[in-house]
Amino acid sequence: MSDIKKASSALVSVFSKDGLAPLVKKMHELGITLYSTGGTEKFIKDLGIPVVAVEDVTSYPSILGGRVKTLHPKVFGGILNRQDHQGDIAEMEQYEIPQLDIVIVDLYPFEKTVASGASEQDIIEKIDIGGISLIRAAAKNFKDTLCVSSMEDYNEVLEILTNNNGGTTIADRKRYAAKSFAVSSHYDTAIFNYFNSDHSIPALKISENKGQVLRYGENPHQRGFFFGDFDAMFDKLHGKALSYNNLLDVDAAVNLMNEFTGEAPTFAILKHNNACGFAQRDTVYQAYVDALAGDPVSAFGGILIANTEIDQAAALEIHKLFCEVVIAPSFSSEALETLKGKKNRILLIQKEVTLSETTVRTCLNGALVQDRDAKTDAQEDLTQATNNKPSDRELEDLLFASKICKHTKSNTIVLAKNKQLCASGTGQTSRVDALRQAIEKATAFGFDLQDAVMASDAFFPFPDCVEIADNAGITSVIQPGGSIKDQLTIDYCNENNISMVLTGTRHFKH
């Protein structure tokens, strides 16, 4: 090809040497002169390959404990010179600057060092200065220079150089320049976010190196992408690729089930990000059966999640249902084989991963950022607002319902009994409408709401909701409180022997 530019020299300066040897050997075989420094120089020498020390070019040693090694005009001139520019060519000769056609750099592992819990001093020392400068310089001058900034690219670069006798095309170099700026911008984002961990500077920097193109977005006419390390959270055992909507439902399922980590076997069925079935029982089998009973119609095509291993008994029941995704910490071998019986059914093992402390969503011409709602209503948070006190069974159901309510779209009302979701009213513009929707749905599926409990994501501005609930047989209520008319609701409960507790915490979810 006419646009192939053959390399005559390469600067190699990396932190990790994994996978580097074959590339270095090939460059030597192709007659490419190698320049290096420090540990990389030693690594190349140990391979029996000649290498020119950067210090011999600059006539300046590595100083300040290795903080300054490659920051020198004879290095950056060799990278940034325009090879078709007469003035640059003349200066290269005048100052005896060697040409550098390839730059291979691997940055200090800043993010890994932060994640390891290292001291601030160790973290600061992992802020790469020379490496990031080399990357930016080589990527900027992609017309003449190939920049390789990730060990993940070594094999492809080896193939390119082998096929082109040590050469690269302008398309190759421009593509690698884009990759290199992705590396440098991600690196700087991680550093900024470390220094701005308290969010004292009102700036939003987000960078994800891993991403995938989805079949489409929320609807087939919309493009869709996922950026994040899905494999860090899940082992995908079976099924088709996850869709945009699958991922939203999986996110909702994981956040909901996190509320029940370490508790008795619990099973949830979600549809459009809301729980349509939920139960906690002595066995995962019974938990699934009772979750399904909450709404067997909506469960069709839903997302299923358990907080414990799914065994064969549960799997045989699940297999009768058409569902998109099944998530669990583990599957028994028999259960796995049963559930693989549907070729498109997605089976995920959820790993123990800490979710982000903040949530982000686009808004107008910018973004909204907030702390994740990490508050889970607990018994010690409750204030008894009524003369009538909840029974122990009602108290357990109230906290159970409150957790589900927190993860249901507002306005919402959740009805529960004996640690089973009877029904919920979701995403209604009126809390009264949400309650009526929940009662109608529970009744349609045969639930007896006598002695059931009610949870609300926000306060009742009027006593109408507790009156409607009372007429349906509900005997205990949990809500945040905070309305200027709380007393009207409390008075109705007292007059009708309904117990009510206040959490003091609203859980809107929009």
Side-chain angles (χ1 to χ4, degrees):
M1 296 175 62
S2 59
D3 71 334
I4 290 179
K5 179 180 181 296
K6 192 176 187 309
S8 63
S9 58
L11 172 64
V12 187
S13 179
V14 299
F15 180 83
S16 172
K17 317 303 184 292
D18 294 346
L20 181 64
L23 182 54
V24 168
K25 290 177 181 178
K26 175 54 68 174
M27 288 192 293
H28 172 60
E29 181 185 313
L30 292 167
I32 297 172
T33 301
L34 301 177
Y35 294 83
S36 191
T37 186
T40 309
E41 178 191 350
K42 181 180 183 303
F43 174 82
I44 296 172
K45 284 181 177 178
D46 289 345
L47 292 174
I49 295 173
V51 56
V52 179
V54 168
E55 290 89 340
D56 293 342
V57 174
T58 63
S59 300
Y60 221 94
S62 172
I63 62 172
L64 306 181
R67 282 188 164 198
V68 181
K69 292 181 284 190
T70 57
L71 295 168
H72 194 281
K74 282 199 171 183
V75 175
F76 282 85
I79 296 170
L80 284 164
N81 74 94
R82 294 157 291 184
Q83 295 184 26
D84 60 355
H85 188 281
Q86 291 303 314
D88 287 5
I89 293 171
E91 286 189 85
M92 292 283 285
E93 292 179 357
Q94 179 183 354
Y95 297 110
E96 300 180 338
I97 299 174
Q99 181 65 49
L100 296 172
D101 299 309
I102 301 174
V103 174
I104 300 174
V105 181
D106 173 32
L107 299 174
Y108 292 162
F110 178 82
E111 288 180 281
K112 287 183 179 178
T113 305
V114 172
S116 73
S119 67
E120 181 175 274
Q121 184 57 42
D122 288 340
I123 290 170
I124 298 305
E125 289 305 317
K126 287 298 184 291
I127 298 177
D128 206 312
I129 303 301
I132 204 79
S133 302
L134 292 170
I135 286 174
R136 291 180 62 82
K140 174 181 178 177
N141 200 34
F142 68 87
K143 183 178 178 182
D144 293 310
T145 309
L146 174 68
C147 185
V148 184
S149 56
S150 171
M151 66 177 69
E152 295 177 2
D153 292 323
Y154 291 169
N155 287 338
E156 185 185 53
V157 172
L158 174 61
E159 183 179 350
I160 291 172
L161 294 177
T162 300
N163 292 341
N164 296 320
N165 194 31
T168 57
T169 66
I170 185 66
D172 291 330
R173 297 191 296 278
K174 190 170 184 177
R175 181 164 60 90
Y176 271 90
K179 286 188 173 191
S180 297
F181 283 121
V183 168
S184 65
S185 62
H186 179 83
Y187 198 76
D188 285 340
T189 294
I191 294 170
F192 169 76
N193 287 334
Y194 169 76
F195 280 97
N196 195 44
S197 60
D198 61 354
H199 304 288
S200 58
I201 300 173
L204 175 63
K205 306 289 183 183
I206 299 174
S207 179
E208 288 290 350
N209 274 334
K210 293 183 179 292
Q212 56 182 295
V213 179
L214 305 175
R215 295 195 301 275
Y216 51 80
E218 200 162 8
N219 300 292
H221 64 277
Q222 297 170 269
R223 292 189 302 164
F225 307 87
F226 172 71
F227 297 100
D229 191 355
F230 187 83
D231 293 339
M233 283 199 65
F234 302 98
D235 285 329
K236 184 170 179 284
L237 305 180
H238 183 71
K240 64 183 180 180
L242 281 92
S243 69
Y244 182 98
N245 292 328
N246 287 157
L247 289 165
L248 285 176
D249 282 329
V250 168
D251 177 71
V254 167
N255 280 282
L256 171 58
M257 194 54 73
N258 277 355
E259 302 281 353
F260 298 87
T261 300
E263 295 190 16
T266 307
F267 212 104
I269 303 172
L270 287 89
K271 197 73 171 287
H272 296 293
N273 310 155
N274 295 302
C276 60
F278 202 100
Q280 187 173 88
R281 295 292 182 260
D282 292 334
T283 67
V284 69
Y285 162 81
Q286 197 60 51
Y288 168 72
V289 169
D290 289 349
L292 181 64
D295 186 347
V297 175
S298 296
F300 182 85
I303 306 294
L304 280 57
I305 186 168
N307 71 344
T308 190
E309 180 175 275
I310 292 179
D311 58 22
Q312 175 68 336
L316 288 170
E317 287 299 313
I318 293 169
H319 192 56
K320 299 174 184 177
L321 174 73
F322 169 71
C323 55
E324 292 272 342
V325 184
V326 184
I327 311 166
S330 60
F331 298 83
S332 72
S333 56
E334 298 89 348
L336 187 57
E337 289 308 307
T338 296
L339 294 173
K340 282 182 176 180
K342 299 288 179 65
K343 67 176 183 178
N344 288 330
R345 181 185 285 144
I346 299 164
L347 304 178
L348 302 175
I349 288 182
Q350 183 183 344
K351 303 176 185 178
E352 292 186 14
V353 177
T354 301
L355 297 174
S356 171
E357 295 180 356
T358 57
T359 63
V360 182
R361 65 194 298 179
T362 58
C363 181
L364 300 176
N365 62 346
L368 283 171
V369 182
Q370 66 172 347
D371 294 336
R372 180 179 295 279
D373 185 356
K375 174 64 176 175
T376 299
D377 297 328
Q379 187 168 344
E380 56 267 24
D381 301 316
L382 306 182
T383 300
Q384 185 178 330
T386 53
N387 297 331
N388 198 19
K389 181 179 179 182
S391 67
D392 290 343
R393 193 273 304 168
E394 285 175 329
L395 187 57
E396 287 187 351
D397 279 346
L398 288 170
L399 293 173
F400 173 86
S402 176
K403 291 178 181 179
I404 300 172
C405 193
K406 171 184 169 182
H407 294 275
T408 305
K409 187 173 178 62
S410 299
N411 286 314
T412 185
I413 292 289
V414 168
L415 306 180
K417 184 176 178 180
N418 298 324
K419 294 190 176 179
Q420 180 182 22
L421 173 63
C422 299
S424 60
T426 62
Q428 299 301 301
T429 53
S430 153
R431 202 157 301 281
V432 170
D433 286 345
L435 174 56
R436 285 177 172 155
Q437 181 191 55
I439 292 171
E440 180 181 350
K441 191 173 180 180
T443 303
F445 289 115
F447 282 97
D448 178 5
L449 293 179
Q450 187 62 45
D451 298 326
V453 306
M454 173 173 73
S456 175
D457 59 337
F459 64 65
F460 299 116
F462 304 101
D464 46 7
C465 278
V466 290
E467 182 177 356
I468 295 169
D470 176 32
N471 292 333
I474 290 160
T475 56
S476 195
V477 178
I478 185 169
Q479 57 125 334
S483 168
I484 59 173
K485 296 183 178 181
D486 270 350
Q487 194 58 48
L488 293 177
T489 299
I490 294 169
D491 289 345
Y492 181 91
C493 290
N494 283 333
E495 291 165 6
N496 293 275
N497 296 317
I498 298 172
S499 62
M500 183 167 67
V501 294
L502 307 181
T503 66
T505 303
R506 189 181 72 186
H507 292 292
F508 269 166
K509 185 173 184 285
H510 294 110

